[in-house]
Amino acid sequence: MIDFLKELNEPQQEAVMATEGPVMVIAGAGSGKTRVLTYRVAYLLSLEVAPFNILALTFTNKAAREMKERIASLVGPAKAKSLWMGTFHSIFARILRVESEKLGFPSNFTIYDTDDSKRLIRSIIKEQNLDDKTYSPGYVLGRISNAKNNLIGPIDYNEDFEIQNADTQARKPKLGLLYSIYQQRLRKASAMDFDDLLFNTNVLLRDFPDVLYKYQQKFSYILVDEYQDTNFSQYLIVKKLAANNENICVVGDDAQSIYAFRGANIANILNFKKDYPDFKLFKLEQNYRSTQNIVNAANSAIAHNKDQIFKKVWTHNDQGEKVMICKAANEAEEASWIAGRIFEWRAQHQLPNNAFAVLYRTNAQSRALEEALRKLNIPYRIFGGVSFYQRKEVKDVLAYFRLVINPKDEEAFMRVVNFPARGIGDTTLNKLKVAAEEKGLSIWETALKAPELQLGFHSGILNRLNEFTLMIQALGTELYKYNAFELGEKIVNKSGIRKFYFEDTSPESINRKENIEELLSGLKDFVMAPDEESGENTFRTLDEFMQDIALLTDADTKTKGPEDLNKVSLMTIHAAKGLEFPYVFIAGTEENLFPSQLSIGSRAELEEERRLFYVALTRAMRQATITWAETRFRYGNFNFCEPSRFIDELKPEFIEYLAGAKPQKSQQAKQETFSESLKNFRKVSEAKSQPTQSSPGPVANGDYVILTGAQLKPEMMVQHQRFGTGTVTQVEGNGPDAKATVIFEGFGKKQLLLKFARLKIVG
């Protein structure tokens, strides 16, 4: 055993040293999961495993970089430099660059981010004369992304009866057409979106056995971080690559699986034992982060989930303060109380602002909190704002970079062909797009051939197009003559962007100019930094820089500058995963807000909400405080609220109700109803479908009523206060305990427990 293993506790050591065969490490919150993954790689290297035979997959570049730095400090940079360690997308983009010709792509293909994809979809929707409210670009992209994550291509999508029926029921029958056109346009632009990086890797490994064998032989040891967050596409890639020798180690925590909305499948970690029956299981249950009261309260909450790998998280830390629960009259009072408590604790205990975080279920909740903090002059930072690389002026420069690297990039061309303005307007661009479609060319090729295609452009337009394309071609020939910084500066100057912002002296323009200069500084840093593999200073080109930028995740771009170092953090609970703060407030812990009203129709959705609550609690190191409001303004109305069922599930010995916060007897009875409803729901959801029976009529509540199973039939049209109009597809169960499956326009398929869902039959 090498010396650095002494830094690990016994279960961590065992997990690190079990190098052969399938291994699953279940790591409770704050138990040193990243440390185990890092030390496991270092241990393999100390056993003389070649670094290029180790594949370590993470979910952020930041995590991979920090792990690699730590590994280098343990075993030396020489051994760490050639590791294949990075995000799923960055690693498989690297493989696709090498193997792209097999799939009909050039090696310099562009990677579209979400903003690029939405712009392309928006233009396709407009071309197809569809309503962008019915077919909102975000919804369409989400639907396409979900299909790709489940390895459903456009042809399969359009031939699948169930998918087509669901789209028709949702009154969006053209989704399949939009998907097909979107993929055609990506290929024409020699581009892939983020989901394609995984989709196409699956195609590569499926259709080219020699490629699969090559990488199976190469990656003798595979490690996966945050395995509970993997989707179906990621799961299949890992399973194929590990099939040869099964030296696979997955690390994660099923209790922190909270990303189902973006494709994560908790079944991947729950069913690991089915994929690898001879696997070894290690549990990391000692929490190094939180006090005993916080750990025990979190345990008591997550214990209500049925689908989980049992573990008992514990800690040697202090007992600590009990989890506090505060009730407010409304969201303004709630926010004011939180701000006041931060102000008070900060003064009493000489605490910095960054010791505090306020977590909430939805972004909209930040407004009242911001106002309350501003009134007390407490500086704060909102996570989830526009990242540096998403700012308009930065995106403009990056679009020029992309076009120089890959002139077929349609989105880049459309973004900058007339910026700064050079007299190439929408009429010209529309003619180019139509001609490109008719001739089967890219827009770039159409622009090059504009004179011979006789598109009706006068000589002035032809000259401007010619000047633009010549400029891009000339810059393209210099891609490998100059390093990334030198060529980047040339592009900013020759494109006219620097002059454009230099001549505008408005404060907004000055800020944008500073952002462009910051981007160039980033290019300078990039070319000066040593190469990750060789550790030496090498000639680094603009296409390498763009590869890095394209694969940045949200977590990578949320870097803290000096101005952010001492501010209260405001963020959604999803954004808080992986972070920790001494003092945490969980705001808006009310029924229909947390858990979300959209997530109480099935046990699986409700259990994910409870895992989200568990994540929120376990972000706290010293003190966790839960708040809820009796009334809240939502969707244009004042709503009377009840405390979340999650509060009721916390064991009383670990919590403390502040004055007036403890539910009275009548309120307690309501909470017991919620607990009972959960039990009833579990029975219903697990029971086989039963024929409906006659039952008493509905209980009136304005236009919306509580219906029973006997009153609903498939094909009925109903209206819901939140989801709008939908079509009933299935009814199960008896009386008010029945549940109905309804497909709502804009929200998709929802399962509703009828004793809580107020509906109106409309057809």
Side-chain angles (χ1 to χ4, degrees), residues 27-28 123 189 315 394 430:
S123 67
T315 183
V394 176
N430 287 335

Side-chain angles (χ1 to χ4, degrees), residues 384-631:
V386 178
S387 74
F388 177 79
Y389 292 104
Q390 293 299 322
R391 292 169 182 164
K392 179 196 178 299
E393 62 278 10
V394 176
K395 291 282 284 185
D396 290 336
V397 176
L398 294 179
Y400 269 106
F401 292 177
R402 284 167 40 183
L403 197 61
V404 167
I405 296 164
N406 172 21
K408 289 185 178 181
D409 186 335
E410 179 180 321
E411 284 306 297
F413 181 94
M414 296 297 289
R415 185 177 190 110
V416 300
V417 67
N418 198 39
F419 181 79
R422 49 177 60 90
I424 302 173
D426 289 345
T427 302
T428 301
L429 293 176
N430 287 335
K431 285 183 179 180
L432 283 174
K433 288 175 75 173
V434 170
E437 195 64 34
E438 289 176 352
K439 306 292 184 185
L441 301 172
S442 68
I443 288 183
W444 171 259
E445 291 167 329
T446 307
L448 286 176
K449 297 181 179 181
E452 62 191 78
L453 292 174
Q454 298 183 344
L455 302 177
F457 295 149
H458 60 72
S459 59
I461 291 292
L462 290 174
N463 287 336
R464 290 168 206 150
L465 282 173
N466 186 51
E467 287 173 4
F468 178 74
T469 55
L470 282 176
M471 176 185 69
I472 297 300
Q473 285 177 317
L475 290 166
T477 63
E478 298 176 333
L479 181 59
Y480 301 112
K481 292 180 184 176
Y482 296 94
N483 67 33
F485 170 71
E486 292 166 338
L487 183 55
E489 195 162 45
K490 269 178 171 276
I491 292 170
V492 168
N493 289 329
K494 288 197 173 184
S495 66
I497 283 183
R498 181 173 264 155
K499 181 182 177 185
F500 175 82
Y501 286 117
F502 182 81
E503 291 176 347
D504 187 346
T505 57
S506 67
E508 182 184 35
S509 185
I510 291 171
N511 185 53
R512 287 180 167 173
K513 184 170 64 176
E514 288 173 349
N515 286 334
I516 291 170
E517 296 303 329
E518 180 62 28
L519 175 61
L520 292 175
S521 294
L523 278 167
K524 189 72 170 176
D525 292 341
F526 176 77
V527 300
M528 296 294 289
D531 180 73
E532 280 194 3
E533 288 192 32
S534 67
E536 300 173 357
N537 287 95
T538 57
F539 183 78
R540 310 190 76 182
T541 54
L542 191 62
D543 55 338
E544 294 177 82
F545 175 78
M546 290 302 294
Q547 168 90 344
D548 280 7
I549 295 305
L551 295 168
L552 288 175
T553 66
D554 286 345
D556 299 316
T557 56
K558 289 172 184 170
T559 54
K560 289 186 178 181
E563 71 280 7
D564 294 317
L565 291 179
N566 192 23
K567 293 184 179 180
V568 173
S569 296
L570 302 182
M571 67 186 81
T572 64
I573 302 165
H574 284 100
K577 186 170 178 290
L579 303 177
E580 61 184 30
F581 304 90
Y583 297 84
V584 170
F585 295 86
I586 307 169
T589 314
E590 299 140 23
E591 282 296 305
N592 296 324
L593 179 56
F594 192 20
S596 166
Q597 185 179 25
L598 305 179
S599 302
I600 57 176
S602 74
R603 177 168 61 80
E605 291 175 323
L606 181 59
E607 290 199 353
E608 173 131 341
E609 288 288 294
R610 189 176 287 108
R611 292 193 294 270
L612 193 59
F613 182 66
Y614 176 83
V615 166
L617 265 180
T618 54
R619 297 313 91 199
M621 301 164 71
R622 303 298 307 166
Q623 176 69 65
T625 304
I626 298 169
T627 64
W628 66 280
E630 292 183 297
T631 62

